[in-house]
Amino acid sequence: MNIITAGITDPKTIGTRLEIQKFAQDKELWDLYLQGLKSLQSVPQTERLSWFQIAGIHGRPYIEYDGAGKRKSSSKSFGGYCTHSSILFPPWHRPFLALFEQTLASHMMEIANKYEGAAKAKYVSAAQRFRIPYWDWAANGVLPDIISSPKDVTVNSPKGPKTFKNPLFSYTFPDPLVFGDGLKDSNFETSSTFRQATSTFTDLNEVKATNVGRVHGTIRQRTHTLLSSPFFRSYEFFSNDQITKNVSKSTIDSLEAIHGSIHGYIGGHMDDLDYAAFDPVFWLHHANVDRIFALWQARNPGPYTIDFPAGRGNFITEKRHNETATTPLAPFWKAPGEFWTAQTATDTRTFNYTYPELEKWSTFTPEEKESRIIKDINIMYQDNAQLDAAVAASKARPKRTARVVSVRPSEETAELGAVSASLIADNQLLLAEDRSYLDWVVNIIVEKYVAKSTFYVHIFLGDFNPDPSLWSQDPNLVGTHVIFTSQIEVTGCERCQLGAAEHMRVGGTIPLTGALVQSVQEGRVPDLTPEHVAPFLRKELHWRVQRADGSVIELSEIPSLKISAVHFLVTLPDAIDKFPERGEGEEVLSVTTGRLGGAGEED
């Protein structure tokens, strides 16, 4: 009998997924969660509902899961269920999370029923309200200690205080580890999952502080732009990182592109598609990816169009087919003989869960809801660097008094213009009369599989350390975009192999305005106008490429890499319940033409 993915159905109520740090404040829920994770991780790998097999759906082992494999793969081995660089990327992961959630919930309820007396009612109640937590990396870029600490944890178990290895820190593979898919072993066949971004990072706290924390500002800005820009109201551009003929200079980034960078910042097993889901942090990361998708859906209600020629298939769907709202999201069964689809998995409530923002917004009238959604997104993700850019316009304008935005908005802020008021001196820059400024970004386009594994594109503004092991710590590092993939020479992913053969390109964006504003303040460039910024960037903008193991990929080895500088005319609103107006992106090719890895007129 097939496993039906339905989410938590006992009781059949809509539960709320909470951010991990708030989730951890619920003592009974936290006790059950840690015990439930430990219990699930100990299930023999031969069981369909083991940690090993559920996580393995995402990549290895490339073995048919739960009878979901009707098509004969073009290769001799199983081709996997991959929907990465696909318009189905967001909806496919929704039932994947639901399957994990319902399985973990069953372990927690079993443990809850072992408590005695008054404690039993408390723990059963906690098990009933359980939904998997998420880590909001856009709001909090540092891995919470409970995820990153290798220290043992102590909980109140049914038999009293109990101490065991932190199940959020790593997953221990079965011994002996047998994938059984006949594929060549990689460097990820270790006794347990680990997290390190490059060979130079051996201490997780170093990774936590250096990688995720350093680039947090760019992730926050990218997330806000993704949810606020009119160009990402198209699901095609919002959903995935593939560069197609429809993508413009304004739509290079995507939910999948941001998600891939988080994988790479954490590193280790998380930066390889075949092994990422074995790391416990995967589930907190992807719960937030699903949440961002749900926020986008709330902002863009109604059915969204999914009808796109994929080219690359997987074990269920043929290559050269169109991916649509009714394409099977295998291997997740909605009912016997029926897979979930993007159409049937549209609403989180179908799987009996919601998120705090959706829960709150559901109480507003339709008229109130739109402005509240915008206000909350601004409060959560509008970044200081974006707002500080309001001071950067033209030095040539006459001296005047101006209100400038210099801090992140708060819940109490009624209008952006009321956040901060100050006099602008003659030698400082003013927001344009119409509250507009130029927002600069670096667009990155490259073949996804050119490095044959996950790789990092570092963007610097100014000189940087020649030692590659120090690039991610360099003070002039503006941001790092990660191209998240599998090891193409050993993976069993058929979709990945076809993507590599067809030289599929993907894209991402690094915000540049914050670094430019700092340069303005330091007197290195007069203002944000193209006439001054273009020659400055021609001299000061640099990029380098690095594999996850720390080795350098010379720019001459990556002819598909196209870096470009783009600016958008952004006009700030007069209230926090409005998004900034954002014009079309304009590429300034004089910055990159003729440089290795730089975009030119022909690109």
Side-chain angles (χ1 to χ4, degrees), residues 1-7 9 40 43 45-51 53-55 57 64-68 95-104 106 329-340 351:
M1 181 179 293
N2 296 127
I3 298 166
I4 303 303
T5 299
T9 58
L40 177 55
V43 174
Q45 73 176 78
T46 54
E47 298 292 325
R48 286 181 298 171
L49 291 179
S50 63
W51 184 284
Q53 286 208 25
I54 293 174
I57 292 170
E64 177 183 329
Y65 183 81
D66 196 27
F96 187 31
L97 290 168
L99 175 62
F100 175 80
E101 184 170 62
Q102 72 188 47
T103 305
L104 178 56
S106 67
L329 301 181
F332 310 112
W333 298 100
K334 182 176 183 291
E338 178 187 0
F339 289 116
W340 284 98
F351 297 100

Side-chain angles (χ1 to χ4, degrees), residues 293-596:
F293 177 34
L295 299 185
W296 181 90
Q297 289 179 294
R299 170 81 174 114
N300 302 277
Y304 46 91
T305 302
I306 299 181
D307 190 356
F308 193 77
R312 291 158 288 278
N314 60 26
F315 196 68
I316 292 293
T317 54
E318 298 286 351
K319 61 181 178 180
R320 316 297 179 197
H321 72 295
N322 271 28
E323 291 176 325
T324 72
T326 58
T327 298
L329 301 181
F332 310 112
W333 298 100
K334 182 176 183 291
E338 178 187 0
F339 289 116
W340 284 98
T341 66
Q343 186 176 74
T344 56
T346 295
D347 195 330
T348 66
R349 293 170 296 184
T350 303
F351 297 100
N352 303 310
Y353 74 90
T354 187
Y355 292 101
E357 297 83 7
L358 304 185
E359 184 178 33
K360 177 172 61 176
W361 296 339
S362 68
T363 64
F364 293 104
T365 65
E367 294 74 22
E368 297 171 325
K369 187 175 181 180
E370 172 74 5
S371 64
R372 186 66 197 204
I373 289 173
I374 294 173
K375 180 179 180 180
D376 286 348
I377 289 173
N378 280 334
I379 289 169
M380 289 187 291
Y381 300 132
Q382 184 101 31
D383 191 80
N384 283 348
Q386 290 175 299
L387 296 178
D388 287 343
V391 303
S394 173
K395 198 172 186 177
R397 294 190 179 91
K399 176 182 177 181
R400 69 184 188 276
T401 300
R403 285 184 179 273
V404 301
V405 179
S406 59
V407 295
R408 185 179 169 206
S410 64
E411 181 70 49
E412 292 74 29
T413 303
E415 293 187 357
L416 290 176
V419 175
S420 173
S422 62
L423 292 176
I424 307 300
D426 280 335
N427 63 343
Q428 291 180 299
L429 306 179
L430 303 178
L431 182 66
E433 295 286 357
D434 62 355
R435 300 174 62 83
S436 66
Y437 68 97
L438 289 183
D439 185 28
W440 289 81
V441 305
V442 171
N443 278 346
I444 301 165
I445 297 176
V446 67
E447 285 186 19
K448 182 172 183 176
Y449 301 100
V450 67
K452 304 185 185 305
S453 63
T454 293
F455 61 102
Y456 301 67
V457 180
H458 303 294
I459 303 297
F460 303 93
L461 192 60
D463 295 334
F464 57 95
N465 197 306
D467 183 352
S469 69
L470 300 176
W471 284 350
S472 62
Q473 306 170 55
D474 196 280
N476 286 333
L477 177 70
V478 178
T480 298
H481 178 60
V482 182
I483 291 78
F484 171 60
T485 182
S486 52
Q487 297 175 81
I488 201 64
E489 294 181 335
V490 297
T491 185
C493 173
E494 181 178 358
R495 185 186 187 95
C496 305
Q497 297 285 3
L498 288 169
E502 295 175 355
H503 306 285
M504 182 182 69
R505 298 183 304 157
V506 293
T509 294
I510 296 296
L512 197 56
T513 304
L516 283 172
V517 168
Q518 183 177 345
S519 296
V520 169
Q521 293 168 344
E522 294 170 350
R524 300 170 65 201
V525 63
D527 53 43
L528 294 185
T529 58
E531 63 181 301
H532 292 121
V533 171
F536 176 72
L537 292 181
R538 177 78 184 182
K539 178 183 178 183
E540 301 291 350
L541 184 68
H542 306 284
W543 49 89
R544 291 294 184 270
V545 183
Q546 195 172 25
R547 294 184 182 86
D549 64 4
S551 61
V552 175
I553 307 174
E554 298 299 334
L555 296 178
S556 59
E557 300 174 13
I558 321 174
S560 66
L561 178 64
K562 302 300 175 185
I563 302 288
S564 62
V566 179
H567 63 74
F568 302 80
L569 181 64
V570 174
T571 303
L572 291 178
D574 58 5
I576 200 172
D577 59 358
K578 298 177 184 177
F579 282 138
E581 295 179 10
R582 192 173 186 85
E584 289 273 3
E586 294 187 29
E587 199 171 48
V588 184
L589 291 176
S590 63
V591 173
T592 54
T593 298
R595 302 174 64 185
L596 280 176

